[in-house]
């Protein structure tokens, strides 16, 4: 899928850094405790086929860890997640649409 490129290099680097930090340094195993914007960024970046580009500069060890953690998010049953108390059902429905 073709995506619109980020034309501002500084903004692009900030996004890449945010994605990398979120899966390597600030990871929480519970998606319901994650920052909703970061969770959305990860899932929608994957749906846009640009997530692996953000992981490309990582060492092999960090790359594998990042992919393993993202895959744990992608393997969730979004329809089940939206039924949990205190969740944003619309957000999970959007994730399910892009699955």
């Amino acid at each position: 899928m073709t995506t619109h490129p980020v034309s501002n290099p500084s903004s692009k680097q900030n996004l890449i850094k945010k994605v990398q930090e979120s899966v390597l340094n600030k990871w929480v195993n519970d998606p319901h405790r994650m920052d909703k914007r970061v969770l959305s960024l990860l899932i929608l970046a994957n749906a846009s086929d640009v997530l692996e580009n953000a992981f490309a500069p990582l060492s092999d060890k960090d790359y594998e860890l990042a992919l393993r953690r993202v895959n744990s998010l992608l393997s969730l049953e979004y329809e089940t997640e939206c039924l949990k108390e205190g969740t944003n059902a619309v957000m999970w429905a959007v994730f399910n649409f892009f699955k």
Side-chain angles (χ1 to χ4, degrees):
M1 173 185 294
T2 304
T3 59
H4 188 279
V6 177
S7 59
N8 183 334
S10 175
S11 295
K12 183 176 180 177
Q13 282 307 114
N14 287 340
L15 276 172
I16 290 171
K17 183 178 178 183
K18 184 173 194 115
V19 166
Q20 292 173 349
E21 285 180 351
S22 68
V23 295
L24 296 174
N25 303 328
K26 299 179 181 178
W27 182 253
V28 290
N29 281 327
D30 182 1
H32 299 282
R33 290 186 11 215
M34 290 180 78
D35 179 83
K36 302 307 179 217
R37 292 174 293 187
V38 170
L39 178 62
S40 298
L41 178 63
L42 292 171
I43 291 177
L44 298 177
N46 180 72
S48 300
D49 289 329
V50 296
L51 189 57
E52 285 191 33
N53 296 343
F55 298 151
L58 297 174
S59 69
D60 289 344
K61 180 181 173 184
D62 285 344
Y63 182 86
E64 292 296 323
L65 178 61
L67 284 183
R68 189 169 51 249
R69 288 178 172 174
V70 168
N71 284 335
S72 73
L73 289 177
L74 300 175
S75 66
L76 293 172
E77 291 296 328
Y78 300 146
E79 291 179 21
T80 304
E81 296 300 318
C82 80
L83 299 175
K84 294 183 179 177
E85 187 175 332
T87 62
N88 183 334
V90 173
M91 182 182 73
W92 289 100
V94 170
F95 295 165
N96 195 49
F97 177 80
F98 285 103
K99 193 169 193 180

